[in-house]
Amino acid sequence: KAGATDFIPKPWEKDKLLATLTSGMRLRQSQQEVNMLKEQVEILSGQNASENDIIGESPAMQEVFATINKLSNTDANILILGENGTGKDVIARLLYRCSPRYGKPFVTIDLGSIPEQLFESELFGFEKGAFTDAKKSKAGRMEVATNGTLFLDEIGNLSLPMQSKLLTAIEKRQTIPIDVRLICATNADIRQMVEDGNFRQDLLYRINTIEIHIPPLRERGNDIILLAEHFLNHYARKYKKEMHGLTREAKNKLLKYAWPGNVRELQHTIERAVILGDGSMLKPENFLFHATPKQKKDEEMVLNLEQLERQAIEKALRISDGNISRAAEYLGITRFALYRKLEKLGL
């Protein structure tokens, strides 16, 4: 009744004892495989719903896509670096979809949300009765990801003891044979953390066979507009609004903003604007931005009109990737007027 699979009366026969023990071990192994397969099915069934398209035509993003394309036939461990909100998790899923392991489990662990005392059981699993609430055995995330991909998000948040356990698991695979591809991500300056003694150098070497740097949104030029229009279409359908685009002034306002929260902030900004906005087009007044202390300081420093004009033209050229017509449109002037100003300012 307590879960025994068989019993051996005394005095036992050696052959009967060995047969019973062998049968029990095989049954236990089968139960573990069934538990792991159940978790893999759950992981695989939820994958399609969370896959997102990646939008980006800027040179910075094209470089990212080119790197991912070169990695399509490899199992190299990847470290994704980038600010909060740049879409590191989306890039991780793209790497998975372009890999030989596509169709196998893609398992995510948000290391920033796991308490240190639960890290080991989350990564390696636990047996029934291992602690008070362990009412049944659970396969660890590394085991569930066998033959697939394990995505460790916010790896810079790991404490040194947790880093040590992870390194041991990667190097020795002590508990069970595990075949996984590691993709890690962090918004931290991980090399500075190594210099400061807050991140193990040997662990860094194990996880960053290839590094991919995701550019912040402010450096992606017209991608800001492409993403804004994508989110606008999505939320207009979701909230049943008859909105079809952004005015030129609205686009210019979006392009001039620094986006400290990157793509995530842009998404929330567009959603809020769609919910509260009226009419068929989003206008500048639909977007309310709060200047950061750095932006306020920059504004106080710029007092010279010629300097302001120079900065505006340089920014327009940067976000338009050097396209004169598009830069002139952002500035609200003609191409010929922009040419005259470029000549006057010696740009």
Side-chain angles (χ1 to χ4, degrees):
K1 287 180 180 179
T5 58
D6 204 344
F7 67 95
I8 305 167
K10 293 192 282 188
W12 57 75
E13 298 176 7
K14 280 194 278 186
D15 290 343
K16 170 66 174 172
L17 173 62
L18 291 174
T20 302
L21 290 175
T22 301
S23 176
M25 288 169 63
R26 286 175 178 167
L27 179 61
R28 174 62 182 153
Q29 185 178 4
S30 297
Q31 288 172 337
Q32 288 177 325
E33 289 174 355
V34 167
N35 288 338
M36 186 178 73
L37 287 171
K38 282 181 179 178
E39 296 215 21
Q40 287 184 340
V41 167
E42 290 175 9
I43 293 291
L44 286 168
S45 64
Q47 279 173 184
N48 291 334
S50 57
E51 289 178 358
N52 299 312
D53 292 329
I54 301 178
I55 295 171
E57 296 179 353
S58 62
M61 286 306 295
Q62 290 304 311
E63 188 175 335
V64 171
F65 297 148
T67 301
I68 292 173
N69 187 53
K70 290 176 183 176
L71 297 170
S72 59
N73 292 318
T74 75
D75 268 347
N77 290 339
I78 310 294
L79 176 62
I80 305 173
L81 303 173
E83 296 178 6
N84 276 331
T86 49
K88 296 185 291 295
D89 56 332
V90 180
I91 293 296
R93 290 186 180 279
L94 178 59
L95 282 161
Y96 161 70
R97 296 203 303 271
C98 295
S99 76
R101 293 174 184 258
Y102 183 54
K104 302 293 176 60
F106 179 87
V107 180
T108 299
I109 305 180
D110 182 359
L111 298 176
S113 64
I114 299 178
E116 187 166 346
Q117 59 271 26
L118 297 180
F119 172 74
E120 200 163 3
S121 59
E122 185 70 21
L123 203 61
F124 307 115
F126 51 81
E127 297 296 324
K128 178 180 178 181
F131 49 87
T132 307
D133 293 327
K135 297 178 181 177
K136 63 177 183 177
S137 299
K138 183 176 186 234
R141 305 299 265 177
M142 285 195 80
E143 185 179 357
V144 172
T146 297
N147 299 321
T149 301
L150 182 63
F151 176 43
L152 301 179
D153 200 7
E154 301 301 344
I155 196 167
N157 290 349
L158 282 181
S159 67
L160 287 169
M162 293 163 76
Q163 291 173 33
S164 179
K165 290 174 182 176
L166 177 60
L167 181 63
T168 300
I170 294 172
E171 288 186 335
K172 299 183 179 177
R173 315 285 168 95
Q174 285 181 337
T175 345
I176 47 172
I178 296 173
D179 173 25
V180 296
R181 182 200 197 177
L182 273 182
I183 300 178
C184 302
T186 182
N187 66 336
D189 185 344
I190 204 158
R191 283 188 168 70
Q192 187 60 51
M193 290 180 68
V194 170
E195 286 187 22
D196 295 341
N198 296 322
F199 199 90
R200 293 182 61 128
Q201 190 173 54
D202 46 1
L203 177 58
L204 178 60
Y205 289 151
R206 298 294 289 181
I207 64 175
N208 78 330
T209 306
I210 301 291
E211 286 185 14
I212 296 179
H213 296 259
I214 311 302
L217 187 57
R218 61 184 172 274
E219 295 178 5
R220 291 178 56 182
N222 203 55
D223 284 357
I224 295 171
I225 304 304
L226 295 177
L227 285 161
E229 290 172 340
H230 169 75
F231 293 136
L232 170 59
N233 292 333
H234 171 76
Y235 290 116
R237 288 194 303 271
K238 179 177 179 179
Y239 297 114
K240 298 179 173 57
K241 292 287 193 84
E242 291 295 325
M243 289 185 177
H244 308 295
L246 303 101
T247 65
R248 186 176 72 178
E249 294 76 16
K251 291 179 181 180
N252 287 337
K253 186 170 183 177
L254 294 179
L255 288 166
K256 290 174 184 176
Y257 183 58
W259 299 108
N262 292 292
V263 179
R264 188 180 298 128
E265 182 184 4
L266 174 61
Q267 181 176 357
H268 293 164
T269 296
I270 298 297
E271 181 178 14
R272 183 171 59 248
V274 169
I275 292 171
L276 299 178
D278 296 310
S280 61
M281 303 281 282
L282 287 181
K283 304 176 182 65
E285 53 267 30
N286 295 126
F287 308 119
L288 178 63
F289 299 133
H290 301 283
T292 63
K294 182 180 183 302
Q295 288 172 316
K296 289 178 180 176
K297 184 178 178 182
D298 290 344
E299 288 172 4
E300 290 170 2
M301 290 174 62
V302 180
L303 301 175
N304 184 282
L305 286 175
E306 185 174 312
Q307 188 179 353
L308 277 169
E309 188 176 60
R310 177 184 290 272
Q311 289 182 348
I313 290 173
E314 287 176 344
K315 183 168 184 178
L317 289 169
R318 186 169 63 252
I319 62 180
S320 65
D321 299 324
N323 186 302
I324 295 294
S325 297
R326 197 182 299 162
E329 184 180 352
Y330 293 156
L331 293 165
I333 60 177
T334 66
R335 289 174 67 246
F336 300 103
L338 178 53
Y339 277 123
R340 286 197 299 271
K341 290 181 182 295
L342 289 171
E343 184 177 356
K344 175 187 169 185
L345 297 170
L347 293 174

